[in-house]
Amino acid sequence: MTAEPAVTPHHGPVGEEPDEAARQLYLAVIAAGGRVPTAEVADVDRDALRQLIDIGLLMVNRMDRCYTAVSPRSVSDRLGAELRSEATRLLVRAENLPGALDGLTRAYDTMPRPTDRAGGAVHVEGHVHIRQRISQLASDCRSEVLTAQPGHRPADTLQVALLQDVQLLQRGCSLRTIYQPVALADPPVLAYAEEVTRHGSLIRVLDEPFQRLIVFDRSVAVISANDDNSTAAFITDPATITYLVGTFERDWARADTAGSAAGQAPARTVPDRVGRLLARGLTQRAVATRLGLSERTVAAHISRLRDRYGAQTLFQLGWLMRGARDDR
């Protein structure tokens, strides 16, 4: 090769470091005495060469038709100064951003909120739309969130909720949640509970049936509007919210702390709870409602319990389990 290879400027980010190929080419130039003729640079090294020139570790000497190595120390000083300048510029932008968006923020805060003609309730259909609306309310929250979460919570929902709730707690908001014992038998829920508790959230466990509920700043309440939670009602009526908050506080006062409930967990597994409720005379549907489980799940637990106790009917199973409880 007799002509100088064409080198297109790399234009990488400020302070970009050379990759491994560029490092090896630089070391090869150093091994050659810090100077290499342009004709001796192979085509396969062109990308690495472009990086080194762009960063400043190699200089082009067109008079001698060669590339000359530059001290990394001087390059480091120059790039460090550029990075500090860029960081200062970004900090200034970050400081000025709230003021720059102030007009838009005021417009958002005064935006007319949709209300239902029936009096302070908006129905939202579809899990995606419901989550989007809840995320918006969480980002607007300024002081307190109350939640009642019966039954299981899907792992993907918990991942979204964890990020959202940690950010909320870091802003100084309070978060209180009531679970049923069956929920805390799920490892994803336990991991979520441990993390939000570390950030200041309070969690209690209530071994009774209750409805799903979220209340933001005691000004907007979210409740399920159908059995499969695919429709939610967003309520803004003050009287209704006062009633729902009162219901939550009543349940909160009767609930156990998560720590004490966790201590009971090994002795009271889900099948044990199913059997305990059967022994009290509850039907399969009533057990499912009480524990926040599907009837199919409860039926599977009952089937295993009948095999364990040799029971032919639900009545016989309940009687046998009642005897087992009395013997303990």
Side-chain angles (χ1 to χ4, degrees):
M1 185 187 303
T2 59
E4 177 182 331
V7 177
T8 303
H10 181 53
H11 297 304
V14 175
E16 182 180 10
E17 298 178 6
D19 62 18
E20 184 59 28
R23 289 173 182 271
Q24 293 302 320
L25 178 59
Y26 181 82
L27 293 175
V29 174
I30 295 297
R35 183 177 177 277
V36 61
T38 57
E40 295 184 9
V41 178
D43 287 344
V44 294
D45 292 328
R46 189 167 299 175
D47 287 342
L49 177 67
R50 185 178 66 245
Q51 282 192 54
L52 294 175
I53 293 174
D54 191 59
I55 294 170
L57 287 170
L58 287 184
M59 290 180 58
V60 182
N61 187 332
R62 299 188 184 278
M63 295 293 295
D64 294 339
R65 302 185 66 82
C66 69
Y67 298 111
T68 303
V70 177
S71 169
R73 187 176 295 105
S74 63
V75 172
S76 175
D77 292 342
R78 176 178 59 81
L79 294 182
E82 291 178 5
L83 285 172
R84 286 189 290 272
S85 177
E86 179 69 8
T88 300
R89 187 183 66 82
L90 291 175
L91 286 173
V92 171
R93 283 190 60 188
E95 291 293 332
N96 293 336
L97 188 59
L101 298 179
D102 186 58
L104 300 179
T105 302
R106 288 197 302 270
Y108 177 85
D109 291 340
T110 59
M111 175 180 61
R113 306 294 181 182
T115 56
D116 186 10
R117 295 178 181 176
V122 177
H123 287 77
V124 177
E125 296 184 358
H127 293 100
V128 173
H129 297 298
I130 293 171
R131 285 196 292 266
Q132 289 175 345
R133 189 71 177 273
I134 289 176
S135 295
Q136 181 182 9
L137 290 170
S139 66
D140 291 343
C141 184
R142 290 295 173 265
S143 61
E144 176 189 56
V145 179
L146 310 175
T147 69
Q149 299 285 355
H152 294 280
R153 299 185 70 185
D156 57 344
T157 299
L158 285 169
Q159 290 178 353
V160 175
L162 179 60
L163 177 62
Q164 176 179 284
D165 293 345
V166 168
Q167 291 176 345
L168 183 143
L169 290 164
Q170 289 175 338
R171 294 201 308 269
C173 298
S174 65
L175 173 62
R176 288 188 285 157
T177 304
I178 301 175
Y179 282 110
Q180 288 180 314
V182 66
L184 292 181
D186 290 341
V189 177
L190 284 174
Y192 162 86
E194 181 179 353
E195 183 64 16
V196 295
T197 300
R198 191 170 65 84
H199 286 83
S201 176
L202 299 178
I203 294 177
R204 291 190 180 182
V205 182
L206 183 63
D207 194 6
E208 297 177 13
F210 53 85
Q211 298 300 312
R212 192 176 306 276
L213 170 69
I214 310 176
V215 183
F216 295 95
D217 288 336
R218 306 203 177 200
S219 59
V220 181
V222 187
I223 62 174
S224 297
N226 57 7
D227 292 338
D228 62 0
N229 300 321
S230 62
T231 302
F234 291 75
I235 301 169
T236 56
D237 177 64
T240 305
I241 291 176
T242 299
Y243 171 79
L244 292 173
V245 170
T247 300
F248 176 89
E249 296 291 2
R250 180 200 64 195
D251 291 343
W252 181 264
R254 295 202 315 275
D256 298 321
T257 62
S260 62
Q264 298 171 0
R268 298 175 66 177
T269 62
V270 174
D272 290 335
R273 292 179 182 279
V274 170
R276 186 166 54 88
L277 294 176
L278 287 174
R280 289 166 54 182
L282 274 68
T283 65
Q284 178 176 314
R285 175 172 294 182
V287 171
T289 301
R290 175 67 64 91
L291 295 180
L293 302 172
S294 68
E295 287 193 55
R296 177 177 298 181
T297 300
V298 171
H301 286 305
I302 290 175
S303 177
R304 286 189 287 270
L305 289 170
R306 287 173 62 174
D307 290 341
R308 182 193 304 175
Y309 288 92
Q312 300 300 316
T313 65
L314 282 181
F315 176 80
Q316 185 181 14
L317 176 61
W319 181 263
L320 289 171
M321 296 198 68
R322 181 183 302 226
R325 288 176 54 206
D326 294 339
D327 293 339
R328 278 187 270 181

